[in-house]
Amino acid sequence: MSNMKRVQKEILAIEQDKEAHIEVILPEDGSMNHMTAKISGPVNTPYEGGLFTVDVSVPPEYPFLPPKMKFVSRVYHPNISSQTGAICLDILKDKWTPVLTLKSALISLQSLLSTPEPDDPQDAQVAAHYKRDKEDFEQTAKYWTEVYANPNAEVLPDGVKPEALARLVDMGFGRSNAINALAEFKGDEQAAVESLL
Amino acid sequence: MSSDSDYDDDVMNEFDDTMDEDSIMDDSDDYENSLDDSGDELEYYEDGEDLNFDGVMAEKHRKKLYQVDYTVQSSKHLMGSQDKEVGQVASILGMPKEHAATLLRHYRWNKEKLIERYMDNPEKVLRLAGVVTDKVRRIIPAREISTPQHPFSCDICCDDEEELETVAVSCNHRFCRTCYEHYLRQKIREEGESRKIECPQDGCKIVVDEKTVEEVVDKNTHLRYRELLNRTFVDDNDHLRWCPAPNCEFAVECHIPSTSLTTIVPTVECECSHQFCFGCGLPDHQPAICPLVKKWQKKCEDDSETANWISAHTKECPKCHSTIEKNGGCNHMTCRKCKYEFCWVCMGPWSEHGTSWYNCNRYDEKSSHEARDSQTQSRASLERYLHYYNRFANHQQSAKLDQDLYRKTEKKMEEMQQTSDLSWIEVQFLKKAVDTLTQCRMTLKWTYAFAFYLSRTNETVIFEDNQKDLEMATEHLSELLEKPLEREKIAELRQNVLDKTVYVKQRREILLEDTAKGLLEGRWTFFVDLK
Ligand SMILES: [Zn+2]
Ligand SMILES: [Zn+2]
Ligand SMILES: [Zn+2]
Ligand SMILES: [Zn+2]
């Protein structure tokens, strides 16, 4: 059974809805079973201002089986693996029904960002952090949003990690100098700092 | 099959013509006739008073106290049983059968509870079970064809062609037939769902009824669906249990409530001949009641290191100390080297067993006193446990070795047919004797778990005597069956085995009857909480 017609229609609907702050980027080969989505972090959360990249794959049995989604951007959240981006969300598993859509699933991801459920964690360490000290957790989450989901971030050269760059900038070095130094020493933070001093 | 159906159970009456006619007439209906037509042979105990579903062919004998009423049900019977219950509820509540079925499945086949709740508040019951959402039950066509006047676009596949066939249940969430079928097939074949497949609409709790499923899916998917429904029927029903034997597809119906498991051991026997406990599903564990079995197994697990050491401990001939391996189920050991005869269980000389059976079955209070004097309390309690565990494990191991005995016995039976004028049917006594032996070993095994938890009173002496008698009789039979065949003595052997088998069965029956009676009368006290 072909799901092309439905997926096409769904993507069109996402493109037409500017309110949802969701964007879908299809690969250039025109296939419809794998795509990248970008969702904005909800306001009044530590994810506000971030633009999160989500990898979406549409199985051949779609919509009778749910789409597979995982975060490409690193996210600090109890229900999202800080290592792999895997998502713990019921509608992507047993609560899926064929009338749900890619858009409704992506909107659910947004609402998952606003309402973490630390009692059903995907990342136990992050969940423990959340339960132990919510304020401290939010600071880390905010920091991760700035570093990993910054919509204005320039494309960094190979080997330059955003967190290393952020630390160098925090130390007071100029941003472009820091990028160049990190690129030169293939991400070796210590060597980059020494060359900048 | 009951324990007391003797050698003649080959010729056991499948239909006893002395059975009173009422018990047949009471339960007879069309369904039973189809049962007879199918040629299924089922054996039942007692008359049909408690048996809800099926016709009864009773083996006419007084039911023993340790036996319970039950019936064995094939998958066809199970379907018939469900249809019957559904039909009844549908006519009482005046609703279509498919809705009655959804209600019954929601109430886990507790008909009385369902009817009571329904009478109280039908709307609520219908809503909770996912039959209808609205207060007013509308008539909604399950299947429709879209027309230019009534255009339709399927929310699943986005198809909006004309003359599209659509399907909906009572919520009227309509989808094209192709999508509906795909959805149901996914739920049934991939997810193994059956009794609670909800409408595809997000958040809709209406259950897709059995009639709609049947109309929409292909034949194989429907068969699978029925199979899954059967499974939940048994799983949800307190009076039914699947036979736990591998690949066995029968279920057993028994009306012993779980609250009675402290006073009765509901042993049942499946069509496949597997004997198991209806209460807990474990292999037959007469005379120990389920809660004791559970505690005992837990204890054995916890103490397994000690126990393993003990059971793996190599035994030596008490006289010449050469290593001795047990190679048969019999406890009468003869050292190959020095020919010393002794008992595997207590290591005492066998000669003392012959005349007065050693205190092999009984934890001697005197020696326990001595143990307490010389050892700490905990050591004594471990020794007490090991005393019972060793005897339990010994019978378990012997029963395993008896599997070899089956093979040896088969050879003997062939040999007998060739060397004597006995026919195939006449040599069956040997196999029956091994059956009896294995069964008695299982019983003996569990008598030790029973005894471990039993508080010692005057009453327990009778139990211990019964245990001792059964143990001795079982060992005699075992010994007789292990002996090599002597051609000239076949007739003598046959008589001997027949006699001993009858005797062993009697001893088992006496023990089980007495323990069952004691349980019902509250004669036994256990020093553990049975909750
Ligand atoms: Zn619905
Ligand atoms: Zn459709
Ligand atoms: Zn069976
Ligand atoms: Zn049991």
mmCIF file of all heavy atoms in Angstrom, chain A residues 1 64, chain B residues 152-159 164 175-180, ligand 2:
data_model
loop_
_atom_site.group_PDB
_atom_site.id
_atom_site.type_symbol
_atom_site.label_atom_id
_atom_site.label_comp_id
_atom_site.label_asym_id
_atom_site.label_seq_id
_atom_site.Cartn_x
_atom_site.Cartn_y
_atom_site.Cartn_z
ATOM 1 N N MET A 1 0.843 -1.198 0.000
ATOM 2 C CA MET A 1 0.000 0.000 0.000
ATOM 3 C C MET A 1 0.876 1.246 0.000
ATOM 4 O O MET A 1 1.777 1.404 0.821
ATOM 5 C CB MET A 1 -0.864 -0.017 1.258
ATOM 6 C CG MET A 1 -1.741 1.192 1.364
ATOM 7 S SD MET A 1 -2.576 1.122 2.934
ATOM 8 C CE MET A 1 -4.090 1.862 2.515
ATOM 9 N N PHE A 64 0.065 3.136 9.439
ATOM 10 C CA PHE A 64 -0.392 2.119 10.392
ATOM 11 C C PHE A 64 0.657 1.870 11.469
ATOM 12 O O PHE A 64 0.371 1.365 12.537
ATOM 13 C CB PHE A 64 -0.786 0.848 9.649
ATOM 14 C CG PHE A 64 -1.913 1.123 8.701
ATOM 15 C CD1 PHE A 64 -1.684 1.344 7.354
ATOM 16 C CD2 PHE A 64 -3.205 1.245 9.181
ATOM 17 C CE1 PHE A 64 -2.720 1.660 6.500
ATOM 18 C CE2 PHE A 64 -4.250 1.559 8.327
ATOM 19 C CZ PHE A 64 -4.006 1.779 6.982
ATOM 20 N N PHE B 152 -16.638 11.647 0.305
ATOM 21 C CA PHE B 152 -15.897 11.157 1.466
ATOM 22 C C PHE B 152 -14.404 11.206 1.178
ATOM 23 O O PHE B 152 -13.950 10.893 0.079
ATOM 24 C CB PHE B 152 -16.327 9.718 1.770
ATOM 25 C CG PHE B 152 -15.534 9.095 2.882
ATOM 26 C CD1 PHE B 152 -15.859 9.354 4.213
ATOM 27 C CD2 PHE B 152 -14.432 8.285 2.607
ATOM 28 C CE1 PHE B 152 -15.115 8.798 5.236
ATOM 29 C CE2 PHE B 152 -13.690 7.735 3.636
ATOM 30 C CZ PHE B 152 -14.028 7.990 4.955
ATOM 31 N N SER B 153 -13.651 11.629 2.180
ATOM 32 C CA SER B 153 -12.206 11.569 2.043
ATOM 33 C C SER B 153 -11.660 10.859 3.271
ATOM 34 O O SER B 153 -11.979 11.221 4.404
ATOM 35 C CB SER B 153 -11.639 12.986 1.945
ATOM 36 O OG SER B 153 -10.254 12.935 2.163
ATOM 37 N N CYS B 154 -10.860 9.801 3.045
ATOM 38 C CA CYS B 154 -10.367 8.989 4.160
ATOM 39 C C CYS B 154 -9.232 9.712 4.860
ATOM 40 O O CYS B 154 -8.275 10.143 4.221
ATOM 41 C CB CYS B 154 -9.913 7.633 3.631
ATOM 42 S SG CYS B 154 -9.125 6.627 4.885
ATOM 43 N N ASP B 155 -9.339 9.840 6.173
ATOM 44 C CA ASP B 155 -8.319 10.551 6.937
ATOM 45 C C ASP B 155 -7.014 9.776 7.060
ATOM 46 O O ASP B 155 -6.014 10.308 7.522
ATOM 47 C CB ASP B 155 -8.830 10.864 8.352
ATOM 48 C CG ASP B 155 -9.686 12.117 8.350
ATOM 49 O OD1 ASP B 155 -9.642 12.845 7.337
ATOM 50 O OD2 ASP B 155 -10.390 12.351 9.344
ATOM 51 N N ILE B 156 -7.055 8.508 6.696
ATOM 52 C CA ILE B 156 -5.822 7.734 6.810
ATOM 53 C C ILE B 156 -5.038 7.773 5.503
ATOM 54 O O ILE B 156 -3.868 8.109 5.493
ATOM 55 C CB ILE B 156 -6.116 6.282 7.247
ATOM 56 C CG1 ILE B 156 -6.737 6.291 8.660
ATOM 57 C CG2 ILE B 156 -4.845 5.436 7.235
ATOM 58 C CD1 ILE B 156 -7.151 4.936 9.186
ATOM 59 N N CYS B 157 -5.686 7.462 4.377
ATOM 60 C CA CYS B 157 -4.931 7.408 3.129
ATOM 61 C C CYS B 157 -5.179 8.627 2.254
ATOM 62 O O CYS B 157 -4.552 8.778 1.210
ATOM 63 C CB CYS B 157 -5.282 6.141 2.353
ATOM 64 S SG CYS B 157 -7.011 6.118 1.834
ATOM 65 N N CYS B 158 -6.099 9.515 2.659
ATOM 66 C CA CYS B 158 -6.434 10.726 1.923
ATOM 67 C C CYS B 158 -7.092 10.433 0.580
ATOM 68 O O CYS B 158 -7.148 11.298 -0.298
ATOM 69 C CB CYS B 158 -5.213 11.618 1.711
ATOM 70 S SG CYS B 158 -4.435 12.052 3.251
ATOM 71 N N ASP B 159 -7.566 9.212 0.400
ATOM 72 C CA ASP B 159 -8.276 8.863 -0.831
ATOM 73 C C ASP B 159 -9.661 9.510 -0.794
ATOM 74 O O ASP B 159 -10.330 9.496 0.236
ATOM 75 C CB ASP B 159 -8.401 7.326 -0.913
ATOM 76 C CG ASP B 159 -8.663 6.872 -2.334
ATOM 77 O OD1 ASP B 159 -9.050 7.729 -3.168
ATOM 78 O OD2 ASP B 159 -8.484 5.682 -2.606
ATOM 79 N N LEU B 164 -16.259 5.019 -2.911
ATOM 80 C CA LEU B 164 -15.312 4.412 -2.000
ATOM 81 C C LEU B 164 -16.105 3.683 -0.914
ATOM 82 O O LEU B 164 -17.013 4.258 -0.329
ATOM 83 C CB LEU B 164 -14.473 5.539 -1.379
ATOM 84 C CG LEU B 164 -13.149 5.183 -0.736
ATOM 85 C CD1 LEU B 164 -12.209 4.555 -1.752
ATOM 86 C CD2 LEU B 164 -12.520 6.441 -0.151
ATOM 87 N N PHE B 175 -13.714 5.379 7.915
ATOM 88 C CA PHE B 175 -12.484 5.325 7.122
ATOM 89 C C PHE B 175 -12.742 4.412 5.940
ATOM 90 O O PHE B 175 -13.697 3.631 5.947
ATOM 91 C CB PHE B 175 -11.323 4.778 7.964
ATOM 92 C CG PHE B 175 -11.064 5.602 9.199
ATOM 93 C CD1 PHE B 175 -11.618 5.241 10.428
ATOM 94 C CD2 PHE B 175 -10.297 6.766 9.130
ATOM 95 C CE1 PHE B 175 -11.405 6.009 11.558
ATOM 96 C CE2 PHE B 175 -10.079 7.534 10.261
ATOM 97 C CZ PHE B 175 -10.638 7.164 11.482
ATOM 98 N N CYS B 176 -11.869 4.509 4.914
ATOM 99 C CA CYS B 176 -12.090 3.644 3.764
ATOM 100 C C CYS B 176 -11.830 2.204 4.169
ATOM 101 O O CYS B 176 -11.067 1.920 5.088
ATOM 102 C CB CYS B 176 -11.248 4.072 2.571
ATOM 103 S SG CYS B 176 -9.604 3.384 2.539
ATOM 104 N N ARG B 177 -12.465 1.290 3.467
ATOM 105 C CA ARG B 177 -12.401 -0.113 3.845
ATOM 106 C C ARG B 177 -10.969 -0.639 3.804
ATOM 107 O O ARG B 177 -10.547 -1.405 4.673
ATOM 108 C CB ARG B 177 -13.291 -0.928 2.889
ATOM 109 C CG ARG B 177 -13.453 -2.341 3.327
ATOM 110 C CD ARG B 177 -13.846 -3.260 2.188
ATOM 111 N NE ARG B 177 -13.441 -4.611 2.555
ATOM 112 C CZ ARG B 177 -14.280 -5.525 3.005
ATOM 113 N NH1 ARG B 177 -15.549 -5.279 3.071
ATOM 114 N NH2 ARG B 177 -13.830 -6.714 3.347
ATOM 115 N N THR B 178 -10.214 -0.223 2.798
ATOM 116 C CA THR B 178 -8.832 -0.687 2.665
ATOM 117 C C THR B 178 -8.017 -0.305 3.902
ATOM 118 O O THR B 178 -7.253 -1.107 4.434
ATOM 119 C CB THR B 178 -8.172 -0.059 1.414
ATOM 120 O OG1 THR B 178 -9.147 -0.031 0.384
ATOM 121 C CG2 THR B 178 -6.967 -0.826 0.974
ATOM 122 N N CYS B 179 -8.190 0.942 4.347
ATOM 123 C CA CYS B 179 -7.443 1.388 5.521
ATOM 124 C C CYS B 179 -7.916 0.660 6.776
ATOM 125 O O CYS B 179 -7.116 0.275 7.626
ATOM 126 C CB CYS B 179 -7.598 2.894 5.723
ATOM 127 S SG CYS B 179 -6.595 3.835 4.573
ATOM 128 N N TYR B 180 -9.219 0.470 6.884
ATOM 129 C CA TYR B 180 -9.768 -0.212 8.053
ATOM 130 C C TYR B 180 -9.198 -1.625 8.135
ATOM 131 O O TYR B 180 -8.767 -2.094 9.192
ATOM 132 C CB TYR B 180 -11.306 -0.260 7.988
ATOM 133 C CG TYR B 180 -11.944 0.116 9.312
ATOM 134 C CD1 TYR B 180 -12.566 1.355 9.481
ATOM 135 C CD2 TYR B 180 -11.912 -0.752 10.383
ATOM 136 C CE1 TYR B 180 -13.126 1.714 10.701
ATOM 137 C CE2 TYR B 180 -12.467 -0.406 11.604
ATOM 138 C CZ TYR B 180 -13.078 0.828 11.759
ATOM 139 O OH TYR B 180 -13.619 1.183 12.966
HETATM 140 ZN ZN ZN C 2 -8.322 5.094 3.498
#
